[in-house]
Amino acid sequence: MLTDIFKFYLQGLFMAIAFVIFAVIFWIAYRALKLKDKTIKERQNTLYDGIMMALISIPILSFAFMAIVLMIRS
């Protein structure tokens, strides 16, 4: 039982990591194409913001994706 829950959590974690990396890359590419950041410092801050958003949202989204996987599998 515990191993099944852990397996579902790991699946949700990997799905959340993939989703967040895709979203951050899309967000940074959008900002680069629209020339939102003029200086190197602004570009660096954008990168740091993307990393911080990813680190904060991955654990939260992993539980959401785990719930979706559980609902699909049951």
Side-chain angles (χ1 to χ4, degrees):
M1 175 73 177
L2 187 60
T3 58
D4 290 336
I5 294 172
F6 184 65
K7 181 176 65 170
F8 289 134
Y9 175 73
L10 284 179
Q11 287 177 351
L13 182 65
F14 291 136
M15 290 170 60
I17 289 171
F19 178 76
V20 168
I21 287 174
F22 175 73
V24 167
I25 289 172
F26 179 77
W27 179 66
I28 290 174
Y30 173 77
R31 289 186 64 88
L33 288 175
K34 294 294 181 178
L35 300 174
K36 299 277 186 181
D37 304 318
K38 303 291 184 203
T39 65
I40 292 177
K41 187 67 174 173
E42 289 175 343
R43 292 182 191 138
Q44 188 177 20
N45 286 338
T46 300
L47 180 63
Y48 290 155
D49 288 344
I51 292 170
M52 290 304 294
M53 286 188 297
L55 289 176
I56 290 170
S57 61
I58 285 174
I60 298 166
L61 286 175
S62 66
F63 286 107
F65 282 119
M66 181 184 77
I68 292 171
V69 169
L70 279 171
M71 289 188 323
I72 291 172
R73 295 281 169 101
S74 62

